[in-house]
Amino acid sequence: MRHPYPIREIARQAGLSEATVDRVLNSRGGVRESTIMEVHQAIKDLDRQRTQVRIGGRTFMIDIVMQTPDRFSTAVRNALEAELPSLHPAVVRSRFHFRETGPASELITIMDKIAKRGSQGVILKAPDLPEVGAAVGRLVAAGIPVVTLVTDLPSSARMAYVGIDNRAAGATAAYLVGQWLGDRPGNVLTTISRGSFRNEEEREMGFRSAMRVAHPRRSLVEVTDSDGLDATQRDLVLEALKRDEDIVAVYSAGGGNAATLDAFDSLGRECAVFVAHDLDHDNTRLLSEGRLSAVLHHDLRQDMRRACQTVMRAHRALPDEGPALPSAIQVVTPYNMPPGVSS
């Protein structure tokens, strides 16, 4: 078993003799299986302790740059602040750069200022545009690792993506909508805040693909470019409902769900099935009230912890852990709200 420790140190950690540890490490036999496990556990404990010493007292200044509605940026801020104790003994300080809408040039200006000023890392939620990817490249060239959150920029120089498999999430939504609608006729409204955000685009692609296979006769009606803002979302949904009287269900890959339901209500229309994403304040309330059928959720606190740890790994303060798996997709109904979630 490869390790950087003297036999004496391993023996002290395991509470065994140096001769016994030497036999285990060199596979000489004559040692009980339980003793072998004790030696391996001692090495793991030393690894963990060395990591704690390495990050103890270090401060990591991380910039969080996001284009997103206020309800989601608030959820991100709360998730990060709740996870700060779990990152000890390292100290993580954060600077937040949030904007709800606007041209990509505004985001790029923020990113370029960070590149000049310096930072230990950037956690980024931004549209997948060539100019944004180029700005990521400038950050990385300045020695600043970039982690994309929720929505990816796969062709950029970003270090890692943290979030769910969005195509799988869209397919999951299609399965739920199809099961709950059953044989009931009608069309499905799909809403995305803006097509340049890769996560929403992939969710919608996964949804369309799964619906096309399982329910080829059911039409899909798209609403987009609201930036997830309620006033714009309501107007766009109203127009769609007036054009198509057969819409009976909604899959929201983005946000603005309270506004979408308000548009249904204003026309006296029923929304039989509504599947949305993320347990932000609005969706938690709507779910508890029975206005949403289900919310596809992922643990944002876990995602923020992973994003910060990825930045630490870039600075060799934590050991590599291999390729990161996507975050787990949770199907949340009014009856299985995660602990600590309230409307």
Side-chain angles (χ1 to χ4, degrees):
M1 184 175 184
R2 297 184 62 183
H3 62 88
Y5 310 107
I7 289 177
R8 180 181 302 173
E9 190 174 356
I10 299 171
R12 188 187 310 122
Q13 179 71 32
L16 300 169
S17 71
E18 293 180 32
T20 298
V21 172
D22 183 70
R23 294 182 70 85
V24 171
L25 295 178
N26 292 286
S27 303
R28 294 199 179 96
V31 183
R32 288 178 298 181
E33 185 64 31
S34 60
T35 302
I36 295 173
M37 293 176 63
E38 288 176 9
V39 172
H40 288 184
Q41 184 60 49
I43 293 173
K44 291 179 182 177
D45 291 342
L46 288 169
D47 282 339
R48 186 167 58 251
Q49 291 166 23
R50 186 174 66 166
T51 294
Q52 295 297 304
V53 170
R54 192 161 59 218
I55 66 175
R58 290 191 63 176
T59 297
F60 295 87
M61 178 61 76
I62 297 177
D63 289 271
I64 295 87
V65 181
M66 304 181 70
Q67 179 175 321
T68 188
D70 179 67
R71 57 181 170 270
F72 188 73
S73 60
T74 298
V76 166
R77 185 192 295 267
N78 292 341
L80 175 59
E81 292 175 351
E83 282 303 304
L84 290 180
S86 73
L87 299 169
H88 288 167
V91 176
V92 172
R93 297 176 59 194
S94 51
R95 293 182 291 232
F96 297 97
H97 313 271
F98 295 151
R99 53 196 289 281
E100 287 198 297
T101 186
S105 58
E106 294 180 8
L107 273 181
I108 293 167
T109 297
I110 293 170
M111 295 163 70
D112 285 340
K113 285 182 179 179
I114 294 170
K116 292 178 181 178
R117 181 185 61 208
S119 176
Q120 270 72 56
V122 169
I123 298 174
L124 178 66
K125 179 182 182 293
D128 187 11
L129 300 171
E131 55 268 36
V132 174
V136 170
R138 292 192 290 274
L139 283 166
V140 173
I144 301 172
V146 177
V147 179
T148 52
L149 178 73
V150 178
T151 184
D152 199 11
L153 304 171
S155 60
S156 73
R158 59 95 171 114
M159 181 180 181
Y161 162 70
V162 173
I164 61 174
D165 179 333
N166 286 293
R167 282 181 181 262
T172 300
Y175 174 80
L176 295 173
V177 170
Q179 291 293 307
W180 280 326
L181 282 180
D183 295 329
R184 175 173 179 163
N187 301 330
V188 180
L189 182 70
T190 65
T191 72
I192 61 176
S193 62
R194 191 160 291 277
S196 55
F197 282 97
R198 192 177 188 91
N199 64 326
E200 296 184 19
E201 181 184 47
E202 290 183 341
R203 291 172 185 177
E204 200 232 4
M205 290 170 65
F207 184 82
R208 284 184 176 276
S209 178
M211 288 293 289
R212 186 164 55 244
V213 171
H215 310 283
R217 297 181 181 177
R218 208 177 284 283
S219 297
L220 305 182
V221 180
E222 180 180 298
V223 163
T224 186
D225 293 342
S226 70
D227 289 316
L229 303 179
D230 287 342
T232 309
Q233 180 78 6
R234 185 181 186 278
D235 290 343
L236 291 171
V237 173
L238 271 174
E239 293 175 11
L241 292 175
K242 290 174 181 177
R243 289 195 305 267
D244 190 330
E245 296 184 355
D246 294 326
I247 294 173
V248 296
V250 175
Y251 169 51
S252 170
N257 301 317
T260 295
L261 286 166
D262 186 55
F264 273 86
D265 293 343
S266 68
L267 296 178
R269 298 271 291 275
E270 178 193 9
C271 182
V273 179
F274 197 136
V275 176
H277 279 268
D278 301 321
L279 281 176
D280 57 27
H281 179 79
D282 283 357
N283 286 348
T284 300
R285 175 180 59 82
L286 293 171
L287 186 63
S288 64
E289 293 173 354
R291 302 301 309 276
L292 300 180
S293 308
V295 171
L296 301 181
H297 178 63
H298 56 104
D299 189 337
L300 192 55
R301 286 182 55 172
Q302 182 183 65
D303 285 353
M304 294 307 295
R305 182 170 67 251
R306 285 178 55 203
C308 291
Q309 289 172 338
T310 301
V311 170
M312 292 179 191
R313 288 189 182 92
H315 294 281
R316 302 187 183 281
L318 290 175
D320 291 335
E321 64 172 4
L325 297 174
S327 303
I329 302 169
Q330 305 172 36
V331 179
V332 182
T333 72
Y335 303 101
N336 68 329
M337 291 274 202
V341 173
S342 64
S343 57

